[in-house]
Amino acid sequence: MTVDHDEEHDPAERKMRFLFQLRSRGVTDPRVLAIMERIDRGLFVRGQFADRAYEDTPLPIPCGQTISQPSVVGLMTQSLNPGPRDTVLEIGTGSGYQAAVLSGLCRRVYTVDRHRRLVQEAEAIFRQLGLPNITAQVADGSRGLPDQAPFDRILVTAAAEDPPGPLLAQLKIGGIMVVPVGQSDAVQTLIRVTRTDTGFDYDELRQVRFVPLVEGLGQT
């Protein structure tokens, strides 16, 4: 499909195409679509890739990380199914885009990243957007945030070989965690884990590709 140059720079047209891409890839929850219409992904993509902010593609960000493609953000949020009274933990702040989307759907978001630069840049955008219900901090995401646990929902935006034990332990009974699992960069599966009175139920959702979940803090 060719895009008229004027249409490419028309915000209403751009937003309409953006939402069409989301729906066509399975993002159907009206609450998720509404918040993704409101949160401008362009604020989270800078530098040479800024003109691709509204494409359904992952893009590089500093510290060797990526901002996930919008449809994956939408599908992960939809699978997490956060409620308005929920407290959510996000592992891997990255650009801050996913946390900003979650902030419109729940009571509070705690988001952690091992890279100080990413946390600081994301915090600046959260302030710009007026999102006071996000708390971002530098931490080893593989350990979660035990001081704030338990959580109603946990979203992990980096791939582990198995759902990390410390994160499972920080999930409330009835809580949901969405996490990419896989031993290689090429083949990972998005898993939804539901904590029950007797253990954990696992559902496989789809194939994905994420950066690996790394223990410890980054150098930047």
Side-chain angles (χ1 to χ4, degrees), residues 12-188:
E13 178 70 24
R14 187 177 62 197
K15 189 172 287 186
M16 190 171 68
R17 283 202 312 275
F18 183 73
L19 293 172
F20 176 78
Q21 286 182 131
L22 294 176
R23 290 192 191 95
S24 67
R25 287 165 172 79
V27 182
T28 56
D29 185 319
R31 295 184 314 139
V32 176
L33 289 168
I35 191 64
M36 292 188 72
E37 180 178 9
R38 202 160 80 233
I39 300 294
D40 182 1
R41 189 177 187 242
L43 294 174
F44 299 86
V45 182
R46 297 173 180 165
Q48 66 189 90
F49 297 101
D51 61 343
R52 302 183 62 189
Y54 306 99
E55 296 178 16
D56 192 39
T57 186
L59 295 169
I61 61 172
C63 305
Q65 305 301 296
T66 58
I67 179 174
S68 297
Q69 66 194 84
S71 62
V72 170
V73 170
L75 289 167
M76 290 180 76
T77 306
Q78 185 171 276
S79 300
L80 197 69
N81 191 28
R85 300 180 62 148
D86 287 349
T87 297
V88 179
L89 171 64
E90 181 197 27
I91 304 299
T93 308
S95 69
Y97 179 59
Q98 175 72 78
V101 169
L102 289 169
S103 74
L105 300 169
C106 66
R107 185 174 64 86
R108 174 153 293 281
V109 179
Y110 290 93
T111 181
V112 302
D113 202 289
R114 59 194 297 269
H115 296 286
R116 184 172 303 279
R117 175 182 174 182
L118 295 181
V119 170
Q120 291 173 339
E121 291 183 359
E123 283 182 315
I125 302 176
F126 301 153
R127 287 193 296 270
Q128 179 184 345
L129 290 173
L131 304 176
N133 64 333
I134 303 177
T135 299
Q137 64 186 78
V138 181
D140 179 350
S142 66
R143 300 179 184 275
L145 273 184
D147 290 350
Q148 302 296 338
F151 297 96
D152 301 288
R153 299 288 188 270
I154 298 177
L155 186 66
V156 186
T157 62
E161 289 192 13
D162 297 292
L167 300 185
L168 292 173
Q170 291 173 36
L171 198 58
K172 283 184 182 177
I173 303 295
I176 295 171
M177 177 164 69
V178 174
V179 53
V181 172
Q183 296 187 349
S184 76
D185 290 344
V187 182
Q188 300 165 0

